Amino acid sequence: MSGPLVDKHILLGVTGSIACYKAIDLASKLVQAGALVDTVMTYGATQFVTPLAFRSITHREVVTDTFDPNSQYTHEHVALARQADIVVIAPATVHTIGKLAAGLADDPLTTTIIATTAPVLVAPAMDANMYDNPATQDNLAVLRRRGMTIVGPASGRLASGLTGKGRLVEPVELLGHISALLGRDGDLAGKTIVVSAGGTMEPIDPVRVITNHSSGKMGYAVAEAVRDRGGSAVLVTAPTGLPDPPLVRVVRVKTAQEMCDAVLGEVKQADALIMAAAVADYRPEVEAGQKIKKSSDDMVISLAKTTDILEAAQGNFVKVGFAAESQNLVENAKDKVKRKNLDLIVANDITEPDSGFGTDTNRVTLISRDLQVQELPLLTKYEVGNEILDRVRELLKS
Ligand code: PMT
């Protein structure tokens, strides 16, 4: 297993809110991503969910009492605080936020947090009026000023029946924030990388488009890998069904021309461009103003060539292309390296199982500017992203 959370010690602080049930899901997702999760629960949290739930998922001791004579830790607040790579408080109640702001340490969670030097992420969950209260806002401002990261709350339906700001941010989104925080001083810190994703849509009429099978997964995974290595990721994406990756700047486009304009604008300030998008090579010459009616047995749509974005992108940045091929993979990709003046191409045999469009994994061949060929094994798209970024980092050095 690889990824930003593997073997990381995560201290999960759970405080008393109905959103505690989501903390169980978060613990599960963290464990599945390879993290070692130690849970500390306040008394309030134990009224909503049991320590057993977290112990069953994390396979590690759950701390609920500072003075537990049976605990494996003699000074658990110090031991847990020291070994934590990150502390995540989810959900964080008004009460615990207030105690942290005041510097109090009267339960196992607050004593641990005051003893840690690890980054602290606070994910509030409360009723909207409690969140809006100036006392809560002041306390959150204090925590921010002290360097803690506040994520959320999200808006939506609250347990009280009200609708407003106060929901715990979804676990999958918290995972992105945790990965980013752990990687913030990574080897791409200070670098901006533009990544394109998805399949462009070329309108035929107000109803129909010409598009392709790209799900966006490859490009999104590259952008997340940039973020998790401390870089600033700008994701220029055609429509996909994927949620926005946290802490990635997302620029939404539809057509090849819109993607071209966005990429050429963004890349001026960037250190690298990675084009994982499946961009249409041709678009309908004319977009019909009204829905085309079924009037004859056949129909011809005249197509015009789109601008090649990689060819048009010129400047002092590392330029990486992809090549989606169904035959002559290496020869066709080598030809694109020369034609598009690339530093690196990621050749993708789209006929391979578990590879190419829509999959979570990809088997690619990397080809450098001097046409050196390196075949990679079947990897997750996130791992492929990191392989590409290893090469980009070396190219940026030289
Ligand atoms: O999105 P997924 O479902 O995860 O699928 C991933 C993928 C198969 C889309 C991805 O791995 C991939 O191979 N992307 C490139 C698809 C493609 O358009 O390849 P191409 O060989 O037609 O184009 C070569 C390169 O030129 C690509 O980097 C492309 O972005 C770029 N291009 C193409 C046309 C154009 N007008 N401008 C371009 O810059």
Side-chain angles (χ1 to χ4, degrees):
M1 188 189 279
S2 75
L5 297 171
V6 174
D7 292 337
K8 290 287 188 292
H9 282 275
I10 308 219
L11 192 120
L12 176 61
V14 186
T15 72
S17 152
I18 184 62
C20 280
Y21 77 94
K22 286 192 188 172
I24 300 172
D25 184 27
L26 175 63
S28 168
K29 286 192 162 58
L30 289 167
V31 170
Q32 286 173 52
L36 307 161
V37 181
D38 290 301
T39 313
V40 179
M41 298 175 76
T42 62
Y43 171 74
T46 64
Q47 301 304 296
F48 286 93
V49 288
T50 65
L52 181 62
F54 289 97
R55 200 176 307 131
S56 307
I57 280 171
T58 62
H59 308 288
R60 295 167 77 86
E61 198 179 336
V62 175
V63 177
T64 55
D65 179 358
T66 320
F67 307 107
D68 180 0
N70 299 319
S71 169
Q72 70 179 74
Y73 304 106
T74 37
H75 299 285
E76 53 211 357
H77 56 290
V78 179
L80 288 174
R82 249 196 226 138
Q83 80 176 12
D85 291 301
I86 186 169
V87 177
V88 178
I89 314 169
T93 56
V94 161
H95 187 58
T96 293
I97 289 168
K99 285 204 285 185
L100 290 176
L104 298 180
D106 67 343
D107 63 24
L109 180 59
T110 47
T111 46
T112 303
I113 292 167
I114 214 143
T116 196
T117 53
V120 178
L121 186 156
V122 178
M126 58 200 64
D127 200 54
N129 290 342
M130 294 168 84
Y131 177 68
D132 288 337
N133 190 293
T136 309
Q137 291 302 316
D138 284 353
N139 288 335
L140 286 170
V142 168
L143 300 190
R144 257 189 221 106
R145 206 173 59 236
R146 289 189 197 142
M148 293 188 188
T149 301
I150 316 297
V151 180
S155 294
R157 191 180 183 283
L158 304 170
S160 62
L162 292 176
T163 299
K165 219 168 173 194
R167 283 175 67 86
L168 181 68
V169 165
E170 290 306 316
V172 67
E173 200 181 328
L174 286 174
L175 224 59
H177 283 273
I178 295 166
S179 304
L181 210 49
L182 284 168
R184 65 183 169 182
D185 300 320
D187 60 357
L188 293 177
K191 304 290 180 207
T192 299
I193 300 187
V194 178
V195 183
S196 71
T200 58
M201 290 188 176
E202 310 303 323
I204 298 170
D205 66 13
V207 178
R208 296 139 180 135
V209 292
I210 295 177
T211 187
N212 57 68
H213 295 298
S214 173
S215 64
K217 284 183 181 177
M218 188 64 245
Y220 277 56
V222 177
E224 285 172 6
V226 170
R227 175 201 67 196
D228 297 346
R229 292 169 73 150
S232 300
V234 181
L235 180 65
V236 179
T237 180
T240 72
L242 303 174
D244 287 357
L247 303 176
V248 166
R249 188 153 71 77
V250 178
V251 180
R252 263 175 264 279
V253 297
K254 282 196 181 121
T255 64
Q257 188 56 50
E258 286 171 14
M259 183 168 278
C260 184
D261 293 343
V263 166
L264 297 188
E266 293 294 340
V267 85
K268 284 184 198 143
Q269 294 84 251
D271 300 283
L273 167 63
I274 303 176
M275 285 288 297
V279 187
D281 290 324
Y282 293 90
R283 61 169 175 80
E285 207 158 28
V286 181
E287 179 187 350
Q290 302 300 329
K291 183 181 174 190
I292 299 170
K293 290 293 171 200
K294 191 167 50 175
S295 50
S296 57
D297 284 347
D298 52 17
M299 181 184 175
V300 174
I301 299 173
S302 180
L303 301 179
K305 220 175 187 177
T306 58
T307 307
D308 191 293
I309 304 170
L310 275 172
E311 280 181 39
Q314 305 288 342
N316 189 22
F317 50 84
V318 171
K319 198 158 72 159
V320 181
F322 273 67
E325 304 293 342
S326 56
Q327 56 181 347
N328 302 330
L329 178 72
V330 172
E331 296 89 285
N332 285 342
K334 279 183 175 173
D335 179 57
K336 283 177 186 167
V337 171
K338 288 187 241 155
R339 191 153 37 89
K340 298 181 188 238
N341 185 26
L342 302 177
D343 296 296
L344 182 73
I345 199 154
V346 185
N348 209 174
D349 182 347
I350 49 148
T351 64
E352 285 248 349
D354 301 326
S355 216
F357 294 112
T359 55
D360 291 326
T361 50
N362 214 355
R363 189 189 297 277
V364 300
T365 300
L366 301 182
I367 304 173
S368 58
R369 180 182 280 282
D370 58 2
L371 305 183
Q372 298 290 322
V373 177
Q374 188 190 3
E375 267 182 52
L376 298 182
L378 186 69
L379 299 170
T380 64
K381 285 185 172 168
Y382 185 83
E383 288 167 336
V384 170
N386 272 315
E387 290 285 341
I388 298 167
L389 294 176
D390 287 347
R391 310 306 186 281
V392 168
R393 186 197 49 201
E394 289 311 310
L395 288 160
L396 284 171
K397 274 190 205 156
S398 60

